């Protein structure tokens, strides 16, 4: 049975509520338009891009999303 209550995770320093079972990829889809130039760290571990849709968010997780920007 799927739980319907939210859990709280910290994403780039801001507390956010998510439905248990949401993955890191679900969060990225909700927060960013273009995820091509990013790196994601969950609880101090950098995730390979292919794992973003496999890793579920749990209450208390700390997620850092880093965007690469070009300049010159």
């Amino acid at each position: 049975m799927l739980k319907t209550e939210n859990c709280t995770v910290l994403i780039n320093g801001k507390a956010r509520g998510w439905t248990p079972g949401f993955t890191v990829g679900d969060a990225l889809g909700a927060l960013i338009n273009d995820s091509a130039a990013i790196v994601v760290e969950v609880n101090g571990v950098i995730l390979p891009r292919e794992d973003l849709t496999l890793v579920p968010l749990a209450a208390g997780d700390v997620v850092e999303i880093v965007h690469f920007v070009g300049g010159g």
Side-chain angles (χ1 to χ4, degrees):
M1 187 162 106
L2 182 64
K3 294 180 182 179
T4 57
E5 71 270 7
N6 285 340
C7 63
T8 301
V9 296
L10 196 63
I11 299 179
N12 287 359
K14 183 177 180 182
R16 296 184 182 262
W18 293 103
T19 301
F22 268 30
T23 67
V24 174
D26 294 328
L28 290 175
L31 295 171
I32 332 177
N33 293 330
D34 181 18
S35 62
I38 62 162
V39 172
V40 179
E41 178 183 278
V42 178
N43 300 324
V45 177
I46 295 174
L47 296 180
R49 183 167 294 281
E50 60 270 13
D51 289 351
L52 295 179
T53 59
L54 302 175
V55 177
L57 291 172
D61 279 350
V62 176
V63 179
E64 293 293 328
I65 303 169
V66 179
H67 297 263
F68 291 100
V69 292

